[in-house]
């Protein structure tokens, strides 16, 4: 656009110079009123092209910055999602592995009733843990979808505390719950 404008300007100047020199031989065309008008129009046109180009470049840079920002945000979200899935997979596989190991031990070896009961109790605890994890995942999905039904429910705090205490009491470490 700039090159075409430059060419048109030069051709118009040359055309007017030739016309002017034929009508008034020996006069300097650059001091004529026609030349001044053409030069002013050309400078205005050049200024307009430069400013529009500058605005376009600024808008392009702002757009690229916005796209980059969104792209980096999407990469971070994808990384978080990948980490979340890895964590969930690990958390779900741990109790399943323990339950499987307990069942395999019970089927392959003849155990005393006390040992069998201990393995069954440990498996039940791991099943409760697995159920709790799945419930938490479903609850998080429900919150994410913003489904109704997240209202208040009556809770038995004693039952919750007892459940937590039972989970910790099966650890091998000595834990005192007051």
């Amino acid at each position: 656009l700039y090159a075409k404008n430059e060419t048109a300007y030069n051709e118009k100047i040359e055309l007017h110079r030739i016309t002017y020199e034929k009508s008034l031989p020996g006069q300097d065309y650059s001091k004529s009123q026609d030349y001044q008008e053409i030069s002013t129009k050309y400078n205005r046109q050049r200024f307009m092209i430069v400013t529009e180009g500058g605005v376009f470049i600024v808008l392009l840079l702002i757009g690229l910055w916005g796209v980059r920002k969104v792209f980096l945000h999407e990469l971070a979200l994808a990384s978080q999602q990948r980490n979340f899935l890895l964590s969930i997979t690990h958390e779900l596989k741990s109790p399943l592995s323990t339950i499987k190991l307990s069942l395999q031990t019970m089927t392959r070896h003849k155990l005393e009733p006390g040992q069998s009961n201990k393995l069954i109790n440990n498996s039940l605890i791991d099943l409760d843990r697995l159920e709790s994890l799945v419930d938490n995942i479903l609850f998080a999905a429900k919150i994410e979808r913003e489904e109704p039904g997240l209202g208040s429910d009556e809770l038995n705090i004693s039952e919750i505390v007892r459940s937590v205490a039972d989970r910790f009491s099966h650890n091998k470490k000595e834990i005192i719950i007051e």
Side-chain angles (χ1 to χ4, degrees), residues 121-136:
N121 286 337
N122 287 342
S123 295
L124 290 173
I125 290 167
D126 283 334
L127 280 173
D128 287 341
R129 180 175 164 224
L130 189 60
E131 183 180 27
S132 174
L133 287 170
V134 170
D135 287 344
N136 287 341

Side-chain angles (χ1 to χ4, degrees), residues 121-162:
N121 286 337
N122 287 342
S123 295
L124 290 173
I125 290 167
D126 283 334
L127 280 173
D128 287 341
R129 180 175 164 224
L130 189 60
E131 183 180 27
S132 174
L133 287 170
V134 170
D135 287 344
N136 287 341
I137 293 169
L138 292 174
F139 184 70
K142 192 175 190 180
I143 289 174
E144 192 173 278
R145 286 190 310 264
E146 298 179 36
E147 287 184 2
L150 295 176
S152 60
D153 291 335
E154 287 187 25
L155 297 174
N156 186 345
I157 299 295
S158 299
E159 191 62 36
I160 293 172
V161 170
R162 189 176 300 114

Side-chain angles (χ1 to χ4, degrees), residues 8-168:
Y9 169 74
N10 288 334
E11 288 173 356
K12 193 165 191 173
I13 290 290
E14 185 62 23
L15 180 65
H16 281 290
R17 186 186 61 75
I18 292 170
T19 305
Y20 190 76
E21 284 180 359
K22 283 184 182 177
S23 65
L24 298 170
Q27 297 268 339
D28 184 15
Y29 176 69
S30 64
K31 295 180 182 173
S32 73
Q33 185 178 354
D34 284 344
Y35 178 83
Q36 297 299 324
E37 287 174 11
I38 293 170
S39 184
T40 302
K41 286 180 184 178
Y42 169 74
N43 287 333
R44 246 186 281 138
Q45 185 74 10
R46 187 173 64 180
F47 177 76
M48 185 179 73
I49 290 170
V50 169
T51 53
E52 285 178 1
V55 167
F56 175 75
I57 288 173
V58 167
L59 290 175
L60 183 65
L61 290 174
I62 290 171
L64 288 174
W65 177 76
V67 167
R68 180 184 179 272
K69 186 177 174 182
V70 168
F71 180 73
L72 291 176
H73 181 68
E74 289 297 320
L75 281 177
L77 286 176
S79 177
Q80 285 178 348
Q81 184 178 19
R82 190 171 39 256
N83 289 341
F84 175 74
L85 288 175
L86 288 172
S87 178
I88 290 296
T89 303
H90 174 72
E91 289 296 321
L92 292 174
K93 283 185 117 183
S94 293
L96 287 174
S97 297
T98 306
I99 294 167
K100 183 178 179 181
L101 182 63
S102 295
L103 292 173
Q104 286 174 342
T105 302
M106 289 172 52
T107 57
R108 291 184 183 159
H109 302 287
K110 202 168 201 179
L111 301 174
E112 293 179 18
Q115 291 174 327
S116 292
N117 287 339
K118 185 176 180 183
L119 287 175
I120 290 171
N121 286 337
N122 287 342
S123 295
L124 290 173
I125 290 167
D126 283 334
L127 280 173
D128 287 341
R129 180 175 164 224
L130 189 60
E131 183 180 27
S132 174
L133 287 170
V134 170
D135 287 344
N136 287 341
I137 293 169
L138 292 174
F139 184 70
K142 192 175 190 180
I143 289 174
E144 192 173 278
R145 286 190 310 264
E146 298 179 36
E147 287 184 2
L150 295 176
S152 60
D153 291 335
E154 287 187 25
L155 297 174
N156 186 345
I157 299 295
S158 299
E159 191 62 36
I160 293 172
V161 170
R162 189 176 300 114
S163 170
V164 171
D166 287 344
R167 284 187 189 161
F168 282 112

